[in-house]
Amino acid sequence: MHLTAPAILLSSRAHGEHGAIVRALTREAGLQAGYVRGGRSRRVRPVLQPGNLVQGEWRARTDAQLAALTVELLHSRAPLFAEPLPAAAIEWATALTASVLPEGQAYPRVYDALEAVIDAVEAAPAARGWAVALVRYELLLLAEMGFGLALDACVVSGSRDDLAFVSPRSGGAVSRSAAAGYEGRLLALPRFLIEGGAADWDALDAGLRLTGHFLARDLAVGRSAEVLAARERLVERLQRAGG
């Protein structure tokens, strides 16, 4: 096995006295793990920051063997970790991706979307500039993993008009008229997830509640549920920023 490709660093954990096991996302070869010799050194550790773009080279004698990985920094996102909100956003997006994607399968849409989210955080550290992209990224991950929401028509009537809610059971949109009397049992569907564009804080909060419900139920389960703590920290900081 020999692979050389640009990759987004997703996670790094210490292994042994000096090394690190790294998980990174490539566009064409998907999620790849590798052992970085000297990954805990002062020279290499900053390169292994989640969110960084690197040139990775993986080598292994067999597909079953953990590959030896060398990395060259292409673009550092380390400065973003000096600010709590951008740091929390990148921590959550990379941790979620690392925990739910199967290894070795290409997900080019996920790669492109994650790169766009991190670029948005870098371009506009203020949360209003990137929170919409983050909610959309969560929806994309749900869809790519087989848990997509049906937001284009009312699950009750089939109407495409005045969609305002989502069924927490089916993940289907519900129109305002079909939801009459049951609003308290449904999740709000913010307009920006239907029409695109920007969103105010109330809409962002609704979007995060919507995706959070299905992430916790369908995607971040089992061992992956541990990453939800990173999302809770992010949501708390976003709520303080919006308040």
Side-chain angles (χ1 to χ4, degrees):
M1 180 267 197
H2 182 202
L3 170 68
T4 301
I8 301 171
L9 252 296
L10 300 181
S11 68
S12 174
R13 63 179 176 86
H15 184 78
E17 293 186 8
H18 306 291
I21 293 179
V22 169
R23 296 166 72 82
L25 182 63
T26 70
R27 192 176 193 279
E28 303 301 331
L31 182 67
Q32 296 288 332
Y35 175 76
V36 177
R37 186 181 300 274
R40 299 175 65 183
S41 69
R42 292 183 179 180
R43 181 182 65 84
V44 180
R45 191 167 55 212
V47 178
L48 303 184
Q49 178 75 54
N52 280 355
L53 182 65
V54 301
Q55 183 76 5
E57 184 174 7
W58 289 262
R59 290 182 179 271
R61 293 182 179 180
T62 69
D63 289 340
Q65 181 185 33
L66 179 65
L69 170 61
T70 58
V71 293
E72 176 186 350
L73 183 65
L74 298 178
H75 184 67
S76 174
R77 269 62 181 251
L80 298 175
F81 282 79
E83 297 294 333
L85 259 178
I90 294 175
E91 179 188 8
W92 160 242
T94 53
L96 175 65
T97 307
S99 69
V100 302
L101 287 187
E103 290 189 17
Q105 297 185 28
Y107 290 93
R109 293 179 63 203
V110 172
Y111 180 93
D112 292 343
L114 179 59
E115 185 176 45
V117 168
I118 297 174
D119 285 346
V121 174
E122 186 172 34
R128 284 285 295 276
W130 49 257
V132 165
L134 183 64
V135 174
R136 291 189 175 280
Y137 180 68
E138 292 178 340
L139 281 178
L140 174 65
L141 269 183
L142 283 163
E144 291 286 309
M145 296 295 102
F147 301 104
L149 307 188
L151 305 181
D152 57 341
C154 176
V155 70
V156 177
S157 67
S159 171
R160 296 178 180 272
D161 299 325
D162 202 19
L163 301 176
F165 300 95
V166 174
S167 165
R169 295 184 62 184
S170 70
V174 182
S175 67
R176 199 175 304 276
S177 59
Y182 296 93
E183 293 89 345
R185 302 181 186 181
L186 303 172
L187 297 163
L189 175 57
R191 301 302 302 173
F192 76 90
L193 290 180
I194 302 173
E195 301 172 351
D200 60 21
W201 286 111
D202 287 342
L204 286 171
D205 184 64
L208 288 164
R209 290 178 185 275
L210 175 64
T211 53
H213 170 80
F214 292 101
L215 286 170
R217 191 191 74 176
D218 299 326
L219 203 54
V221 296
R223 293 180 61 184
S224 296
E226 298 174 1
V227 303
L228 289 175
R231 191 179 195 272
E232 290 172 3
R233 291 191 293 270
L234 170 61
V235 171
E236 288 174 1
R237 290 173 179 173
L238 284 170
Q239 288 172 340
R240 288 199 296 268

